[in-house]
Amino acid sequence: MTVVAGYEHYDIQDEDPYLIPGSTCLLNSLGITDTRLLNEAEEKISAAAYAELIQSPVEPTFDLHHLCLIHQWMFGDIYPWAGMLRHTEIAKGGNLFLPYRLIEAKALEVFADLHDESLLRNLPRTDFATRAGYFLGRINAMHPFREGNGRSQRILLDQLAELSGFAFEWTAISGEQMALACRAARQHDADFSKLSHLLRLHIILI
């Protein structure tokens, strides 16, 4: 999946407790101090973890704990803070994600709304994708982890879709279009239509 240039990485902050001191490389359990090498190792390890998750999914409770378990499984061999909520502010393209102190309260609200909609069960395919895009946008705006948010969110959406007999073809979605759609969904006047449109185009029956 390609990603729009300049958008795949978080903006560098003056003080970031997740970086190796004096470096732009994330603290990790692999002893790697070069960002490029870390990204390569992360891609391989998380891909293997993803395959394991497909075979043995975490319990789908569809709440913040569920998302944290996914993140822990995906990145637990790479980052000592895997599965833990971030304790720093992060941004992309100069736009901040939700302040970290508000993550837990916002997650309670978002996932309560999802459960109030019966986890989108019994919706026609296009309606399911539209609502899934809406909730993906709200979850993405929280960005509860320092790294690995997108991949964790997609796994949660996969489990949500499976409840209704659907699946998303993520690899067919342009990374540039996904990045732009996510950005639109986290503006002050949030526009979820782009995310919903992408998901409607790439949802299939299973």
Side-chain angles (χ1 to χ4, degrees):
M1 179 185 295
T2 58
V3 182
V4 60
Y7 194 79
E8 67 272 29
H9 301 299
Y10 296 106
D11 300 343
I12 299 298
Q13 306 293 324
D14 290 336
E15 296 183 9
D16 188 335
Y18 295 89
L19 296 180
I20 297 171
S23 167
T24 59
C25 185
L26 288 168
L27 289 164
N28 61 87
S29 303
L30 306 175
I32 296 175
T33 58
D34 180 90
T35 298
R36 180 182 62 81
L37 295 178
L38 178 60
N39 289 341
E40 291 175 357
E42 181 194 290
E43 183 177 355
K44 293 178 182 177
I45 294 171
S46 63
Y50 175 74
E52 293 177 4
L53 269 176
I54 297 300
Q55 296 298 318
S56 302
V58 300
E59 182 181 358
T61 51
F62 300 103
D63 53 19
L64 183 58
H65 178 65
H66 179 191
L67 191 58
C68 287
L69 285 178
I70 292 171
H71 191 270
Q72 169 63 37
W73 190 289
M74 287 284 290
F75 302 102
D77 291 335
I78 308 167
Y79 300 120
W81 38 266
M84 301 178 188
L85 303 182
R86 61 180 164 88
H87 291 282
T88 190
E89 308 302 353
I90 57 175
K92 279 185 180 178
N95 295 316
L96 283 169
F97 288 98
L98 186 73
Y100 72 86
R101 293 180 180 85
L102 304 180
I103 290 172
E104 290 186 79
K106 178 58 70 172
L108 284 174
E109 174 189 317
V110 172
F111 286 112
D113 289 347
L114 180 60
H115 281 272
D116 285 346
E117 293 192 30
S118 302
L119 301 177
L120 312 186
R121 288 188 176 100
N122 302 317
L123 291 178
R125 179 167 50 178
T126 54
D127 291 346
F128 177 91
T130 296
R131 297 306 294 161
Y134 167 76
F135 281 104
L136 176 58
R138 293 182 68 189
I139 294 168
N140 181 72
M142 291 189 295
H143 249 57
F145 312 113
R146 176 57 181 81
E147 179 62 52
N149 288 279
R151 283 162 285 182
S152 300
Q153 293 162 19
R154 288 193 289 274
I155 292 170
L156 188 143
L157 262 288
D158 285 339
Q159 289 187 279
L160 184 69
E162 188 175 4
L163 290 179
S164 296
F166 303 127
F168 293 112
E169 298 179 303
W170 299 110
T171 57
I173 300 177
S174 157
E176 179 177 359
Q177 291 303 311
M178 176 61 77
L180 293 173
C182 285
R183 184 180 295 170
R186 63 185 177 90
Q187 301 302 312
H188 178 70
D189 295 320
D191 177 7
F192 301 101
S193 64
K194 294 179 175 62
L195 271 174
S196 292
H197 177 68
L198 284 178
L199 295 193
R200 285 196 301 271
L201 289 176
H202 297 93
I203 188 172
I204 60 173
L205 290 168
I206 57 174

